[in-house]
Amino acid sequence: MLNTYSRMKQSDKIYIAGHSGLVGTALVRLLKARTFTNLITRPRAEVDLRDERVVRDFFADERPEVVVLAAAKVGGIKANIDAPVEFLIENLQIQNNVIRAAHEAGARKLLFLGSSCIYPKFAPQPIPESTLLSGPLEPTNEAYAIAKIAGVKLCQAFAREYGANFISVMPTNLYGPGDNFDLETSHALAALLRKAHEAKMSGAGKMIVWGTGEPRREFLHVDDLATAVVFLLEKYDSPEIINVGCGEDISIRELAELVCDVVGFRGELKWDRSKPDGTPRKLLDVSKIKKLGWRPTISLRDGVARLYEWFLDNYAPQSMARVR
Ligand code: GFB
């Protein structure tokens, strides 16, 4: 039987694994704003989640009541192609260690963050949760997807075998403050924002964009994901996976144009067709979470504008920042 005491108290001891990542920072921000007072975080130098013994000792000492598993090795299409071994092994290590230790330490609830890439490459669009394991995966991120699917299955196994209230949430492509702007390893939105900024600042007439521009992606601001995570921690107690997205997608060409517009780069887009497109379309069916009552609030244009502000304040080299 499932433990259904998931309504959270402000004093609940909540461990955020991956607190310094894109999702983790947004979640800590939101939980603090909502006056949760007992948040547990640990830097990797102190608790390396790939190390089983370290993780078990940490959980045995801290005994968190609620666990959010937002720690993972992540990256864009090139990072996934370049390092499938690390994406598979490190993600399996982190999730196996954290999920088992959370159970052993008596956590009341655990929320595992997966990814929309767990679904088949040619899944029907928008993608309902029921299509998991119904067809072959997109090869460019198969290793990462397999690790995430294993995490979902482990949470479901703990629910079935031990009655654990371990839930799995599948977010669409995310962006927001704290994003990775490294052009080799980042996701598309952050890369395009940086490229547009640098092209504008250097007076370049063109900017390189990977692939054909035809693939379609759905983008959710990470602050919206954070509200969904807290919502699901309180209101969702099923081992069945649940999608989180905004319900609308956009082509990479349209995304590049939107980013250039926000940044103020008026040059030409040059398509580098030697780079992979990846999966042709990835739009989640979000009717399940909508029915429960959650909605995103940040439009893509506003979200990109907010991210550009953040980028200028935190990332752009001083010499290039704030010249508009
Ligand atoms: O965001 P992204 O790297 O990953 O790429 P995925 C999305 C699309 O944007 C691809 C194109 O078609 C890219 O070719 N793109 C255009 C660019 N210009 C650029 C650029 O400068 N940089 C990048 N990175 N892309 C990831 C998975 O897939 O999605 C992960 O690899 C994860 O495993 C994540 O699931 C959510 O959306 O294709």
Side-chain angles (χ1 to χ4, degrees):
M1 200 181 73
L2 285 181
N3 172 358
T4 53
Y5 299 110
S6 62
R7 182 101 215 153
M8 293 199 294
K9 296 192 294 293
Q10 302 327 96
S11 60
D12 274 344
K13 197 173 200 180
I14 307 171
Y15 170 51
I16 299 103
H19 71 284
S20 57
L22 176 64
V23 174
T25 47
L27 188 58
V28 169
R29 257 195 321 271
L30 180 67
L31 289 168
K32 283 186 176 162
R34 294 198 181 166
T35 66
F36 285 89
T37 53
N38 204 355
L39 308 183
I40 312 292
T41 60
R42 285 290 184 284
R44 184 193 288 200
E46 229 175 281
V47 177
D48 185 336
L49 297 175
R50 296 166 301 182
D51 187 326
E52 184 185 345
R53 245 211 15 229
V54 167
V55 175
R56 279 185 143 154
D57 290 349
F58 163 70
F59 271 87
D61 283 350
E62 285 293 345
R63 301 209 163 267
E65 293 162 280
V66 175
V67 175
V68 178
L69 180 38
K73 180 172 176 59
V74 298
I77 193 163
K78 183 172 187 309
N80 274 268
I81 293 170
D82 289 347
V85 171
E86 289 71 22
F87 275 83
L88 186 52
I89 292 183
E90 291 186 27
N91 285 313
L92 286 172
Q93 286 173 323
I94 293 168
Q95 64 205 34
N96 286 349
N97 292 341
V98 171
I99 294 167
R100 180 161 60 182
H103 171 69
E104 286 172 354
R108 186 183 77 214
K109 181 146 190 174
L110 177 144
L111 184 150
F112 171 66
L113 278 152
S115 164
S116 56
C117 70
I118 62 160
Y119 295 113
K121 176 172 180 143
F122 298 112
Q125 307 284 328
I127 311 172
E129 288 88 351
S130 57
T131 57
L132 179 61
L133 292 173
S134 63
L137 296 163
E138 156 62 29
T140 56
N141 54 37
E142 191 179 48
Y144 180 72
I146 293 278
K148 288 294 185 185
I149 292 169
V152 167
K153 291 295 161 190
L154 188 58
C155 288
Q156 291 177 341
F158 269 108
R160 193 170 57 239
E161 193 174 333
Y162 298 108
N165 192 357
F166 288 3
I167 67 171
S168 299
V169 175
M170 300 310 121
T172 190
N173 285 33
L174 301 170
Y175 71 98
D179 226 321
N180 171 13
F181 291 96
D182 180 308
L183 296 180
E184 291 293 296
T185 58
S186 67
H187 290 96
L189 196 153
L192 293 175
L193 192 138
R194 177 176 168 185
K195 286 180 184 178
H197 173 75
E198 290 181 354
K200 181 180 85 167
M201 302 311 293
S202 67
K206 60 178 190 204
M207 156 182 154
I208 308 282
V209 188
W210 294 354
T212 62
E214 281 162 28
R216 300 183 69 83
R217 296 287 184 274
E218 176 189 15
F219 295 95
L220 183 72
H221 194 281
V222 73
D223 286 345
D224 273 335
L225 176 74
T227 68
V229 165
V230 176
F231 177 89
L232 294 168
L233 280 172
E234 301 206 303
K235 300 213 165 62
Y236 190 74
D237 290 325
S238 165
E240 296 304 321
I241 59 176
I242 184 161
N243 290 340
V244 183
C246 66
E248 286 171 30
D249 64 355
I250 173 175
S251 74
I252 296 299
R253 177 182 299 276
E254 290 164 328
L255 175 73
E257 288 168 356
L258 185 153
V259 167
C260 288
D261 198 36
V262 168
V263 168
F265 170 64
R266 316 244 172 265
E268 191 193 339
L269 298 179
K270 275 274 181 214
W271 299 93
D272 177 356
R273 287 163 199 272
S274 71
K275 295 286 193 305
D277 270 346
T279 201
R281 194 174 181 203
K282 211 168 24 165
L283 173 65
L284 292 178
D285 180 340
V286 289
S287 48
K288 189 166 161 180
I289 191 167
K290 266 190 165 172
K291 221 175 276 167
L292 292 174
W294 177 84
R295 295 269 184 294
T297 61
I298 306 170
S299 72
L300 183 57
R301 176 167 282 274
D302 284 355
V304 171
R306 276 158 66 164
L307 181 59
Y308 190 41
E309 284 296 317
W310 187 92
F311 174 86
L312 290 174
D313 290 339
N314 296 277
Y315 192 90
Q318 282 310 309
S319 60
M320 283 186 136
R322 296 267 167 219
V323 185
R324 294 204 227 178

